[in-house]
Amino acid sequence: MKPALPVTRTSPAGTAAGPPVVLLHGFAASGAGDWPARRWAAPLAEAGRETFVVHLPGHPDGPAVAAVEDVTTGVLLRRLAAAVPAGEVDVVGYSLGARLAWSLAAEEVLPVRRLVLGGLSGMDPFAALDPAALRAAVRTGAAEDPLTAGIAALIRAGDADSLLRLVEGLGREPFDPAAGVPKVPTLVLAGAADPMTAGIETVAARLPEARLQHVPGDHQGALAGDELRTAVFGFLLG
């Protein structure tokens, strides 16, 4: 069994008023960057909710990645589940975090009560990449296609070796929304100007208990905006 992923835990301010909230950040992002404590953990704590911000491998506050086998989707899900106490949880994921949140609920790796999927792409960019070409693009700064170039730029800005292994590991078990769906109440959030969520209507329609809401902003702007946060809190705390 691989070690559990590290988390930042915030206790409720008073008596617990619901299950813990697990927050999953995006690729080449960070827990602190995607989920600033003053905007997320602090108000949730005031509402009586414990929070767990999970730090993904290869990212700030997360472990380095020594081997591709340590970060396939199945292994990551188990390491993530081991990071939070047993029992029912609410899960909020953004971008890559939303992909992992979908699988956590669909595969029932955790008993999820409510699910929030933000910035989710209906296609799997990692599965479409050639690992050798991606490594070359990270090394040289040149790529033949925009997808490889864009992901290579993100990787160069961080722990490149770990992120390359993470991309390859996730690509070995591609995200396929047609293969299995969460069967829990789900809020799907997409930025109105976010090209990464193109086709999200089709993805959301697969979910038996989902509501799709567009909020202002592009991929990063939507997450930073008050409309998305208000929608999440209304869904989880209402």
Side-chain angles (χ1 to χ4, degrees), residues 45-68:
E46 287 299 319
R49 305 296 287 276
E50 184 177 30
T51 59
F52 292 85
V53 176
V54 179
H55 305 293
L56 297 177
H59 293 77
D61 298 314
V65 181
V68 171

Side-chain angles (χ1 to χ4, degrees), residues 73 77 98-109 115 117 175 182:
T73 302
L77 295 180
R99 166 191 166 167
L100 296 173
W102 174 297
S103 297
L104 275 174
E107 299 177 22
E108 299 181 350
V109 181
L115 178 66
L117 305 171
F175 172 62

Side-chain angles (χ1 to χ4, degrees), residues 99 124-130 167 170-175:
R99 166 191 166 167
D124 188 339
F126 299 147
L129 293 169
D130 178 338
V167 168
L170 292 169
R172 289 186 179 182
E173 297 175 2
F175 172 62

Side-chain angles (χ1 to χ4, degrees), residues 69-93:
E69 293 73 19
D70 294 344
V71 287
T72 60
T73 302
V75 171
L76 266 186
L77 295 180
R78 292 191 293 274
R79 296 177 68 183
L80 198 161
V84 301
E88 190 175 59
V89 294
D90 289 339
V91 180
V92 182

